[in-house]
Amino acid sequence: MPQLSRRAGFWTAALVAGLALWASGAPTVVYPLYAREWDLEPTVTTLIFAVYPLVLVPVLVLFGNLSDVIGRRATMLAGLAALGLGALAFGLAPDLAWVLVGRALMGVGVGLSLSPATAAMIEFSRPGQQGRASSATTAATATGLALATLVGGALVQYGPWPTHLTFWVLVVVTALSAVLVWLLPRHTRDETAGPWRPRLPRVPRDARSAFTAGTLAVSGAYAMGAIFLALGAQIARDLVHSENAFVAGSIISVSAVVIGVVAVLARRLVPRTSVTLGPPAAILGLALLVGAGLAHSLPLFLASSVVAGAGYSLLFSGGLGLVTASAPVHHRAAVLSAAYVVAYVLQAVAALGIGVLATSSSLLLALEIGSPVVLALGVAALVVARAGRVRAAVS
């Protein structure tokens, strides 16, 4: 059977990472349709979003080290199978129960595929270029998110079956991605790991500051992503008074495009510099989002997408770089999974909390209260990243 080259393997792993975020963002532009068709409160629409990280987290805990033992290829294939089934459930969904099942399956799929894809990108990188895999991962995931909102918005607004067609497209893309992953080199079993069993990752003592700073930064980025992914389309409709799903999806995709562009432009920055620059941009972007709600301004909403996208990119790529620097080679996927566990837990809490506030009071108040949470995580990452041990480890 033919096998992909090292370079092709890198881009295939990047495709899987991007597909994970495509799956995460695919329902974003459909949430307002669900709310209108099934008369759902914001709490319920954010629950649909939060089911994904709530399922993903135990999968990461239980299976985060799986690819370190059985190989990246096999684990990514299992993840893509779950992603495809989740998209299929959305594509057939006649009611809320099917949507929740589909979202849970997507959580399983991303939990199995994202960490191995990130680790594989590092391992397929050219010698001496492994440190740039974090910026490439950021760009790949941003591309997936942009496609989810841009393609999804177009299909919802102008295509048939607005609550279903975007997920059928995702099913097809997932199947094609699985074919490419099947052609990856077979990773041999890591005999140093012993038989597979769920185990908590161990971070070397001298790298724990880097791991903590990186995890806080990724968590800040994901908490901000929860605001845009769970409520972005609803913000466009309720606060900015835009009913066009393609317009809402395009604005949200602008943020994703900026994430990818900034990741490429900042790829030469050391991780602690990215983590230092990320929090100010993130909080300015969220302030502009609140301003867009107060003024019912589409231009301000667009500006918030650009600035928040830059903040997300710097936080995520810098944080991932710090985590990667702290990960032992034979436990790389397990350590990456541990960072993703914390980030996704906080993302789920942020999404549910904002949803409850939006239902009990107002969407605008939810944004005003949720924004400082992102600031707190970003500042905490900045403080830890500036510590001497982290500077020495990743400068």
Side-chain angles (χ1 to χ4, degrees):
M1 183 181 71
Q3 290 188 349
L4 298 179
S5 66
R6 185 186 188 94
R7 182 177 179 83
F10 176 89
W11 290 112
T12 297
L15 173 63
V16 174
L19 189 60
L21 267 291
W22 185 336
S24 173
T28 298
V29 292
V30 189
Y31 289 142
L33 300 184
Y34 291 152
R36 184 163 56 247
E37 184 174 332
W38 298 329
D39 194 26
L40 304 180
E41 297 286 351
T43 303
V44 180
T45 57
T46 52
L47 173 63
I48 298 172
F49 175 84
V51 163
Y52 160 82
L54 289 173
V55 172
L56 188 154
V57 165
V59 172
L60 285 173
V61 171
L62 292 173
F63 301 101
N65 65 325
L66 181 62
S67 75
D68 287 330
V69 179
I70 70 171
R72 316 298 184 209
R73 173 182 174 274
T75 311
M76 282 190 284
L77 284 172
L80 290 176
L83 274 181
L85 289 173
L88 185 63
F90 268 100
L92 296 172
D95 53 38
L96 180 61
W98 278 67
V99 167
L100 294 175
V101 169
R103 199 67 174 143
L105 285 168
M106 285 182 174
V108 173
V110 174
L112 290 174
S113 61
L114 184 56
S115 295
T118 305
M121 290 178 69
I122 297 170
E123 293 159 0
F124 284 126
S125 296
R126 295 176 182 176
Q129 300 290 314
Q130 290 87 346
R132 297 184 184 176
S134 59
S135 61
T137 302
T138 306
T141 54
T143 301
L145 181 56
L147 289 171
T149 54
L150 190 60
V151 174
L155 293 175
V156 167
Q157 188 65 38
Y158 304 115
W161 318 298
T163 58
H164 300 284
L165 182 58
T166 184
F167 300 107
W168 285 106
V169 172
L170 182 58
V171 169
V172 173
V173 174
T174 302
L176 294 175
S177 301
V179 172
L180 291 175
V181 172
W182 182 264
L183 297 176
L184 287 175
R186 292 177 179 269
H187 284 65
T188 56
R189 179 187 178 88
D190 185 354
E191 298 297 341
T192 64
W196 176 81
R197 65 180 184 274
R199 65 182 71 181
L200 294 176
R202 294 181 180 177
V203 181
R205 184 179 298 275
D206 60 355
R208 288 176 185 172
S209 293
F211 175 82
T212 301
T215 300
L216 286 169
V218 173
S219 299
Y222 273 30
M224 182 167 61
I227 295 174
F228 278 88
L229 290 179
L231 294 173
Q234 191 166 337
I235 292 168
R237 186 191 67 183
D238 294 348
L239 298 185
V240 187
H241 301 312
S242 173
E243 293 286 346
N244 189 298
F246 181 62
V247 170
S250 297
I251 294 172
I252 298 171
S253 75
V254 166
S255 179
V257 170
V258 171
I259 291 170
V261 171
V262 171
V264 173
L265 294 177
R267 67 187 183 278
R268 296 183 185 277
L269 294 177
V270 295
R272 67 184 179 90
T273 301
S274 294
V275 171
T276 300
L277 297 174
I283 197 60
L284 177 58
L286 290 171
L288 288 169
L289 183 61
V290 173
L294 288 170
H296 300 292
S297 170
L298 192 59
L300 277 180
F301 192 15
L302 180 60
S304 75
S305 296
V306 172
V307 179
Y312 180 107
S313 182
L314 291 167
L315 281 170
F316 182 78
S317 59
L320 197 60
L322 291 172
V323 172
T324 299
S326 71
V329 174
H330 292 295
H331 302 285
R332 181 172 284 141
V335 172
L336 287 166
S337 293
Y340 283 130
V341 163
V342 177
Y344 277 114
V345 166
L346 290 174
Q347 186 183 60
V349 171
L352 288 172
I354 291 169
V356 170
L357 285 170
T359 300
S360 61
S361 54
S362 70
L363 184 56
L364 187 58
L365 179 62
L367 293 176
E368 292 171 342
I369 293 176
S371 297
V373 174
V374 177
L375 175 62
L377 290 169
V379 170
L382 189 158
V383 170
V384 178
R386 302 301 298 185
R389 287 184 181 180
V390 176
R391 265 202 311 276
V394 297
S395 293

